[in-house]
Amino acid sequence: MATYEYLCGRCGPFDVKSAVGEAPAVYDCPVCARAARRLYSAPGLSLTSSASAALREREERSREAPAVVSEVPPRTGPESGPKRPPHPPLPRP
Ligand SMILES: [Zn+2]
């Protein structure tokens, strides 16, 4: 099933669910029964990569219901990151 949009000259746009490829070019308006012509619009395709979309979705979800942790997550992988201290100690007199 797909949703097709039609425009009635008197009542305005309305949607009709129909099988893909079987939507007629003209459909009777459900309100006034006049013939309404089909509208063609751009499909809802996304130009965003799936990784970016997943990150954005996670960030938006986090605004309303942030993930709560009870402890620091365990360190994974080999020890990495800056050494502590990041430079050798200064010579002492
Ligand atoms: Zn109408």
Side-chain angles (χ1 to χ4, degrees), residues 8-81:
C8 173
R10 180 185 287 175
C11 310
F14 61 92
D15 293 339
V16 173
K17 289 192 185 302
S18 176
V20 172
E22 295 184 10
V26 177
Y27 196 90
D28 290 342
C29 174
V31 177
C32 67
R34 298 173 81 188
R37 67 181 174 84
R38 186 174 160 195
L39 294 179
Y40 294 91
S41 56
L45 299 178
S46 175
L47 298 177
T48 307
S49 73
S50 61
S52 295
L55 282 174
R56 182 180 300 164
E57 186 177 313
R58 179 178 169 194
E59 189 269 332
E60 288 175 355
R61 232 180 312 137
S62 177
R63 290 183 203 165
E64 297 297 322
V68 177
V69 295
S70 57
E71 60 186 22
V72 177
R75 187 180 294 251
T76 59
E79 289 291 324
S80 60

